[in-house]
Amino acid sequence: MTRTTPARPVSVEAVFPELAAHRGRVTRLHPRPGRPGMRESHIGGPMLWPQDEPWPLCREPHRREDEGYAPDEIRKSRAAGTRPTSRPWPGSGMPGQDGPVPLTGLAQFFRRDIPALECGPDGADLVQIFRCPFTHGPYGERRYLLRWRHSGEAERANRFLAPAPEVPLLRWEDELPEPCVLHPEEVDTYPWAEEGVLPAPLIARIDAWEDAQAAEHGAGAASYQGDLSIPPGWRAGGYPSWASTGPMAIGCESCASPMRLLLTGEGYEMAGDSHSWMPLEDRDPSLQGKASIRGGPSAAQPTRLRFGNDRDLHVFICPTDPGHPPRWVLA
């Protein structure tokens, strides 16, 4: 099934004509629970991984934990609509304290499915995203890995790895991605309205317009940040959102070039101020506004993942050389 973003509640360029110069395109990925294959773009599905190639491991020390959830119990509880039961770590330590742990495969994206996706080194057309299932250091830091591939070369392997290795316990249920198929859709997008991103006079006009909308329409009034600029959820390309951090200059640590946004991962496909982005196919046409949204967690939080305290995970790459290390920014 396709996914179709509703028309915006207000024509943003009719209200702010100067934003036409800043209009961009972003591909909304619209993940929904399903059974993706290893030769498909997906979140949480099986990776296209040759069997004779070592699975990526995290070899750093990990934070000590007291309890966790078995991946199979998480899967069973989701199928039953219940909460999984936690259990203590086996023995005195935790998985990974005495050796490396396998990374969790979060997602893979083929450029043939998502034409707006940037190419990798030497024209690589498949990107795979991994995360360490445990946190690091006193502040709970995360470790991510981006792997570029040439899909044609990988698909010619004789045998493929299935299933991927995983740790016996996870600290949180939202460490395990729900397998999701994608429904890519391109939509217009506009930059975050904060100093350093858009001109100050335009930001002042946007703020004044939002105040007038709220005074006239109340709590349900349209807002630039929530309804007109950047859609929520997983997406490729477009502009970064800066709700938690404020705008940041992201430079390549190898050559200092300004980096380009490759992907954004987000736990929720909507928030309280962004429900207007929910696709038409996930709405009851007999109802209006937020009340029309149907599908429950399958539509609102399909991947079951979280990044930080419900923040966006932005993946930046170097436009000068995509082989330079990416940067992972929670915003």
Side-chain angles (χ1 to χ4, degrees):
M1 178 188 293
T2 59
R3 289 296 189 277
T4 309
T5 297
R8 299 298 76 220
V10 175
S11 173
V12 65
E13 291 182 21
V15 181
F16 307 105
E18 55 267 60
L19 277 173
H22 299 275
R23 185 198 314 138
R25 295 290 277 177
V26 62
T27 302
R28 303 189 68 191
L29 301 181
H30 295 306
R32 295 296 183 271
R35 300 183 65 181
M38 67 178 179
R39 290 179 171 84
E40 297 176 279
S41 296
H42 61 66
I43 296 168
M47 294 289 194
L48 181 68
W49 197 269
Q51 191 178 47
D52 60 357
E53 185 175 328
W55 186 259
L57 303 174
C58 181
R59 302 180 184 276
E60 297 184 36
H62 302 94
R63 288 182 62 181
R64 180 180 296 276
E65 303 288 359
D66 299 319
E67 59 183 4
Y69 301 89
D72 281 345
E73 290 184 3
I74 295 174
R75 296 182 181 102
K76 290 176 183 177
S77 69
R78 288 177 181 174
T82 60
R83 295 279 300 176
T85 302
S86 64
R87 61 175 65 181
W89 294 114
S92 59
M94 64 168 285
Q97 281 192 319
D98 301 321
V101 298
L103 298 185
T104 300
L106 297 186
Q108 71 175 17
F109 304 112
F110 290 86
R111 198 163 186 268
R112 64 190 179 219
D113 299 325
I114 309 167
L117 190 68
E118 296 276 352
C119 286
D122 300 320
D125 61 341
L126 168 60
V127 63
Q128 297 173 319
I129 307 294
F130 301 84
R131 178 169 71 178
C132 178
F134 302 126
T135 55
H136 297 253
Y139 303 107
E141 298 168 359
R142 307 310 302 263
R143 300 289 185 266
Y144 293 91
L145 172 70
L146 181 150
R147 174 64 187 268
W148 288 107
R149 290 186 180 278
H150 291 87
S151 62
E153 294 178 6
E155 288 172 325
R156 287 193 290 270
N158 293 324
R159 295 183 179 179
F160 298 95
L161 181 66
E166 58 187 14
V167 295
L169 290 182
L170 296 166
R171 180 62 186 91
W172 304 105
E173 179 189 355
D174 53 34
E175 295 295 332
L176 184 69
E178 181 72 13
C180 287
V181 297
L182 307 182
H183 308 85
E185 176 201 24
E186 287 196 350
V187 299
D188 288 337
T189 184
Y190 300 88
W192 200 250
E194 285 197 43
E195 186 177 353
V197 178
L198 288 175
L202 176 56
I203 295 172
R205 289 184 55 216
I206 291 173
D207 290 343
W209 176 83
E210 288 187 328
D211 290 343
Q213 290 290 301
E216 182 176 354
H217 301 289
S223 70
Y224 176 80
Q225 305 286 50
D227 298 291
L228 306 180
S229 59
I230 301 174
W234 283 76
R235 50 198 186 268
Y239 292 109
S241 53
W242 301 112
S244 300
T245 63
M248 301 169 63
I250 309 299
C252 176
E253 295 178 343
S254 296
C255 68
S257 296
M259 301 188 86
R260 184 177 300 153
L261 181 61
L262 174 71
L263 294 164
T264 298
E266 187 174 352
Y268 290 86
E269 293 292 295
M270 55 166 277
D273 65 345
S274 64
H275 62 83
S276 71
W277 292 96
M278 187 58 70
L280 298 173
E281 292 80 3
D282 297 307
R283 292 181 177 273
D284 183 339
S286 68
L287 300 175
Q288 297 294 319
K290 192 174 181 180
S292 70
I293 298 171
R294 58 190 179 186
S298 293
Q301 193 188 9
T303 69
R304 301 296 186 100
L305 291 169
R306 292 179 67 191
F307 300 100
N309 187 19
D310 291 330
R311 296 162 80 178
D312 287 2
L313 175 69
H314 295 315
V315 187
F316 291 88
I317 61 171
C318 177
T320 303
D321 185 347
H324 287 168
R327 292 190 61 181
W328 310 82
V329 179
L330 282 174

